[in-house]
Amino acid sequence: MPTDIVIQIDGRPFEAELFDTPAATEILRVLPIDAAPEEWGDEFYFAVPVALPPDETATTLVDPGDIGYWPPGRALAIFFGPTPLSTDDRPVPAGAVNLVGRLTCDPASLRGARGARQIRVARR
């Protein structure tokens, strides 16, 4: 069963869920996570205190709303639109990510949070 989480970006809540995968379970174990997010196109990413290898979900084919763990950067990535590697409206990560979750709100709503200074991921 997926686990409901809330992603607060500068205090503004966005609903999401983490999947029932080993990588997502490790991320759940260290929640809450507070970080200063970086942006790469329509993607927020930030370091998380877990070190995980690529797994069976690892892919570069993601959709707006997907949440991935990027092993080389030990980072969580939240995709909400095109990234610099995109050739259309789909995001393209910098490298393969383990799919760990998905936004349950409209991914485009995160565009209003660009320039954020604080992100918090917690169980709902």
Side-chain angles (χ1 to χ4, degrees):
M1 277 302 281
T3 301
D4 291 336
I5 60 169
V6 63
I7 300 167
Q8 291 185 15
I9 304 174
D10 281 349
R12 199 169 145 201
F14 298 92
E15 302 296 322
E17 63 185 12
L18 289 181
F19 301 145
D20 186 16
T21 67
T25 298
E26 283 301 305
I27 292 165
L28 277 169
R29 189 180 58 74
V30 298
L31 293 184
I33 297 169
D34 291 292
E38 301 288 336
E39 295 176 26
W40 194 59
D42 284 353
E43 172 192 330
F44 287 116
Y45 69 95
F46 48 94
V48 295
V50 295
L52 304 167
D55 65 19
E56 66 278 354
T57 70
T59 185
T60 57
L61 299 174
V62 299
D63 291 310
D66 284 343
I67 301 172
Y69 172 80
W70 186 49
R74 296 183 180 175
L76 207 57
I78 304 167
F79 302 98
F80 55 97
T83 61
L85 293 178
S86 297
T87 58
D88 56 23
D89 290 339
R90 289 183 67 176
V92 177
V97 295
N98 297 346
L99 292 177
V100 296
R102 178 141 186 86
L103 295 169
T104 55
C105 63
D106 178 8
S109 65
L110 272 72
R111 287 192 178 112
R114 292 176 138 274
R117 295 183 177 187
Q118 182 68 30
I119 194 162
R120 179 179 180 87
V121 181
R123 288 178 185 258
R124 190 165 53 136

